[in-house]
Amino acid sequence: MVADQATSPAETPEVKRRRLRFALRDARRESKLTQHIAAKKLSWSPSKIVRIEQGTVPVAPTDVRAMLFLYGVTDQERVESLVTLAAEAREMKGFKQYADIYSPTALELFGSESAAQVIYKHEPTIIPGLLQTRDYANALLMSLGDSPEGAARKAAARIERQVMLERKDRPELNFIIGEAALVRPAGSKEIMAEQIAALRRYVREDDINLYALPFSAGAHRGLGEAFTILQFASEDDPDVLYLENAERLSVSREDEDTLKRYQELFVHLKEIAESCGDFETVLDEVVGSRFE
C-alpha cells in the first residue's frame, strides 16, 4: 500500500504537532539521551518529555530551543524551522473547540485526515464518521448515551471533518464497511434511507472507494476491529494507525510492525470484500427494501 508521491495539502495544526514531536524525539535519540536523562538536564520532570513526544501537551518555542540545544542540534535552519513549527501549532485552532468531548488522539485523527494522501478505514459496526449524515450521526450518538446537546456537537465535528470531501485535492479514501453497519438502524427509516443514499453517491465519486463485507463472507481476521491508517506524502510524516476500543475511543500506534500488520489486514479484508461483489451490488443484497 505505497501511495504515489504528491504535494500535500496545507498542513493542519495536528499535523504540525505530529511533525514537531517526531523531530524532537528523533533529535533526542540521535544525541543518545534517554527521556529521563534529558529531563534531568533540562530540570524538567520526566513526564514532561514523555508528554511532549507523545503529543499530549503543546510545546512552547522556548522549550523547543532548549531541547535542541541540549541535543546538540547546531543547524540553525533546522532549529528555526522547528521553533516556527511549534509557534504555528500553538496558534492554529484546528479541532480544539471539541477538546471537551473528544480525546486528544481523536482530535489528532480529525486534524490529520485532511492532510493525508491516502486513508484506509475498516469499520465493521457503524457507518464511518467521514461518511455519516448529520441526522445519522445524531441518532447514533444519542443511542450510545450522549445527550442531545453532546450528540449535536459531536455530529458538528463530523460534518466539519467532511469539508475535505469537497476538495479537488482530497485524499484517496478507502472504506471497508461491514454488513452490521449497513443494516443496523440508527434513528428512523427516513434517516437510514438518507444515509444509504449518501453512501451510493459517495461510491460513484472518484478517489472514494467503498467495499462492503457481508455476513456471508464468514469469519475473518478483522472481526470487530475498527481501524484507520493515514498515509502521508511527505517523508517527514510517517504513516500512523488509529485503533478504536469498545468505547469508540481512538488509540494511535506508530510502531512499524503493528502498522504493517494492519496494512496487510486491510488488503486481506479488501480481497474478501471484492470477492463478494461490488459495493452497490452487496448493498442491494443486504439492505434491499429494509429502509423504504
Side-chain angles (χ1 to χ4, degrees):
M1 298 196 331
V2 178
D4 295 334
Q5 294 298 307
T7 302
S8 297
E11 289 184 330
T12 62
E14 290 79 11
V15 171
K16 289 179 183 291
R17 285 192 284 271
R18 284 185 67 246
R19 285 187 56 208
L20 178 62
R21 67 187 179 90
F22 284 134
L24 293 174
R25 181 198 64 186
D26 291 345
R28 176 184 58 77
R29 289 176 175 175
E30 290 168 7
S31 71
K32 309 299 183 183
L33 293 175
T34 65
Q35 291 176 326
H36 182 79
I37 293 175
K40 184 175 182 180
K41 289 182 176 291
L42 290 165
S43 299
W44 294 350
S45 67
S47 63
K48 180 173 180 176
I49 293 282
V50 173
R51 292 196 301 270
I52 288 173
E53 292 188 4
Q54 289 179 341
T56 57
V57 295
V59 54
T62 52
D63 286 346
V64 172
R65 287 190 185 278
M67 295 170 78
L68 294 176
F69 180 80
L70 172 65
Y71 301 156
V73 178
T74 57
D75 183 340
Q76 285 306 302
E77 184 176 348
R78 181 183 178 189
V79 171
E80 294 306 322
S81 174
L82 294 177
V83 168
T84 299
L85 201 60
E88 291 175 348
R90 288 171 67 91
E91 291 171 2
M92 298 171 71
K93 185 172 74 169
F95 283 86
K96 284 183 180 179
Q97 61 182 308
Y98 301 110
D100 60 320
I101 55 173
Y102 280 112
S103 70
T105 306
L107 297 179
E108 180 184 278
L109 167 62
F110 299 166
S112 299
E113 287 169 332
S114 64
Q117 186 177 20
V118 187
I119 297 176
Y120 302 93
K121 172 70 174 176
H122 174 241
E123 180 49 79
T125 57
I126 63 173
I127 304 300
L130 277 171
L131 305 180
Q132 292 176 9
T133 64
R134 187 185 293 272
D135 287 343
Y136 174 93
N138 266 312
L140 174 68
L141 291 163
M142 284 192 287
S143 297
L144 295 176
D146 283 276
S147 67
E149 296 77 13
R153 288 193 64 214
K154 285 185 176 180
R158 296 183 185 189
I159 299 304
E160 189 173 330
R161 291 164 63 194
Q162 293 172 9
V163 170
M164 75 169 184
L165 299 180
E166 307 302 320
R167 289 191 347 228
K168 291 183 179 180
D169 63 343
R170 67 186 175 206
E172 176 191 318
L173 302 166
N174 301 275
F175 298 94
I176 300 174
I177 306 174
E179 181 175 338
L182 300 171
V183 302
R184 177 179 288 116
S188 66
K189 284 188 175 182
E190 290 76 18
I191 288 174
M192 288 303 300
E194 179 188 32
Q195 179 63 75
I196 296 300
L199 294 179
R200 292 187 187 279
R201 290 195 300 273
Y202 284 129
V203 77
R204 295 167 187 168
E205 294 190 23
D206 294 336
D207 297 325
I208 299 183
N209 305 304
L210 302 186
Y211 308 92
L213 199 53
F215 295 142
S216 61
H220 53 75
R221 299 204 315 264
L223 282 175
E225 284 206 278
F227 63 90
T228 304
I229 299 171
L230 302 187
Q231 190 174 75
F232 300 90
S234 172
E235 293 182 357
D236 293 329
D237 295 322
D239 299 347
V240 63
L241 165 71
Y242 292 89
L243 304 174
E244 290 184 354
N245 63 21
E247 297 180 350
R248 314 300 303 178
L249 298 176
S250 295
V251 179
S252 64
R253 296 292 298 274
E254 291 153 359
D255 55 286
E256 292 184 7
D257 289 342
T258 303
L259 180 61
K260 182 179 179 181
R261 179 160 58 88
Y262 276 90
Q263 288 173 330
E264 292 173 348
L265 176 58
F266 188 92
V267 172
H268 173 68
L269 296 175
K270 176 175 172 287
E271 290 174 348
I272 296 175
E274 288 180 321
S275 72
C276 296
D278 65 79
F279 182 82
E280 289 200 90
T281 297
V282 177
L283 188 63
D284 289 338
E285 292 174 352
V286 302
V287 175
S289 60
R290 186 184 298 258
F291 302 121
E292 292 180 356

